[in-house]
Amino acid sequence: MLTSTLLATVPTPLEWSPTVGIIMIIANILAIAFGKFTIKYPRSAPAVPAANFFGGFGLPAVLATTAFGHILGAGIILGLHNIGRI
C-alpha cells in the first residue's frame, strides 16, 4: 500500500533538451562573471592554455567557477522542472 503511494508521487524524469543546455551555459557564464569580480587571486598557477577565453583565470579559478556554474545550473534546471516550466 505505502509503496504504491510513493511510486505514484515520483515525478517524471527530466529529458535533456536544447533548453536545458542553454540554461546550463548561461549559468556557467554568470558564474564566471561572478567569479571575475569576487576571486581574490584569479591568475594563480597553473595557467590554462587559452586563459583569454576564461577571463584570464588560472586553472583553480576556472575549475571553481565552472563547478559553481554547474551547481547553479542544476538547481535552476531542477527548480524549473519541478514547477513545470521545462
Side-chain angles (χ1 to χ4, degrees):
M1 175 71 179
L2 182 62
T3 304
S4 62
T5 305
L6 288 175
L7 289 175
T9 61
V10 174
T12 59
L14 176 64
E15 297 289 330
W16 188 89
S17 68
T19 305
V20 172
I22 290 170
I23 291 170
M24 187 61 76
I25 290 170
I26 291 171
N28 277 287
I29 290 171
L30 290 174
I32 290 170
F34 180 73
K36 184 145 180 82
F37 296 111
T38 57
I39 296 176
K40 190 172 183 179
Y41 302 111
R43 291 178 176 85
S44 60
V48 291
N52 55 345
F53 289 121
F54 293 102
F57 287 155
L59 184 63
V62 169
L63 292 176
T65 56
T66 54
F68 175 62
H70 278 77
I71 293 169
L72 186 65
I76 292 169
I77 291 166
L78 290 174
L80 288 174
H81 178 66
N82 193 28
I83 62 172
R85 295 292 182 180
I86 57 172

